[in-house]
Amino acid sequence: MSDPLIPHRASALPSLDVADSAALEDLYVRGTPTNTLRAYERDLVYLTAWKQAAFGAALTWPEQEEVALRFVLDHSRDLHEEEGRAKQTAEALIGLGLRKGLSCPAPATLNRRIASWCAFHRMRNQPNPFDAPLLRQTRAKARKAMARPPTPKSAHPITKDVLLKLLDAAGSGLRGLRDRAILLLGWASGGRRRSEIVGLNREDVDLSEYDAQGVVWLQLVQTKTTDHGKTPKLVLKGYAARAVVAWIDASGITEGPLFRRITRTDALGQKRLSDAAVSQILKRLLQDAGLDPSYASPHGLRSGFLTQAALDGAPLPAAMRLSLHRSAAQAQKYYDDVDVAANPATDLLADW
């Protein structure tokens, strides 16, 4: 990623020479998750365009509190019935393809963009305008005014019955083997995120116990909730383990990316699959399985694993050892979503 933020850092520390500045840039890039860097890049583009449309000026460091306050106000209300500067700015952003409409943006979107803006100030060793008392109070009021029921990341969880339909729809050939391995690894290892699935290398898959015990071990380098090099090993058994081994044997992959693109002629490519490719694969399989392509997103693998664990009566701590949730309260939400009539605890006297 070409990072336009780094060159300004040296201005706050004039003692840094060129080599130190380059080392600092490299440290920031290596020490920041790829998805976060992409989000920073998107947010910087948006903030730059908004400031230009609203004030006819570029971003400044540190930014003025009045500018930060107007940003919060512009993104904390519906602009359909309004006339004036805020609506004109929003329409300019819509024209640039940076804003979807005049409706009030999701609170999470506003919070992420402000968090990025704060991070940009820290990178430049500059004071953050959002720390001002008025900005803090305004943001708190905006959060209450914009409060809405949380939207699930996936329309439906991919529970075991849905997963089996997708696996049947995967078909044969190298592509089918790969797609089944992606789904089963992602689901059975605790509900892995897209970036975690495609980030795996062949070296991260340990088959030393497969022949004797039917077990496959996975070593993720890092997840959203674990630090680099501190992610515990995860295990695959049964159908999931067999699917991953079948993919490795058929593809002949001995090193490098575990999941790669496959050409139209069913030939194995060398490039690692992207996050977006996992979404495309899932949509295709949903459609081939006779379901609406919008039925579930890749996050449905994660929510589906925890939902199925609840349905099958697996203790929450046991499920969390695989899902790697940091917060028990967050993981508990999936257990709470299970229909009380389907709760295994309701069957304690079912056979009497």
Side-chain angles (χ1 to χ4, degrees), residues 147-170:
R148 61 182 74 172
T151 302
K153 295 181 180 179
S154 179
H156 298 91
I158 300 176
T159 47
K160 192 185 299 182
D161 56 336
V162 178
L163 179 65
L164 293 175
K165 291 180 181 179
L166 299 179
L167 297 174
D168 288 341

Side-chain angles (χ1 to χ4, degrees), residues 57-134:
L59 294 173
T60 58
W61 310 99
E63 191 55 85
Q64 301 175 56
E65 291 180 15
E66 293 81 359
V67 173
L69 178 62
R70 185 178 292 184
F71 183 81
V72 175
L73 296 176
D74 278 7
H75 295 82
S76 300
R77 63 191 194 274
D78 190 294
L79 299 175
H80 280 97
E81 304 301 325
E82 292 200 18
E83 296 297 335
R85 173 203 49 76
K87 185 174 184 178
Q88 293 171 0
T89 300
E91 289 173 339
L93 294 172
I94 293 171
L96 293 172
L98 297 176
R99 181 166 174 161
K100 293 182 179 180
L102 296 174
S103 299
C104 183
T109 302
L110 174 60
N111 290 337
R112 194 200 70 237
R113 285 174 176 156
I114 291 176
S116 294
W117 209 345
C118 294
F120 299 157
H121 280 81
R122 291 194 298 271
M123 291 175 186
R124 294 172 170 81
N125 202 28
Q126 296 284 354
N128 172 17
F130 291 97
D131 284 338
L134 178 59

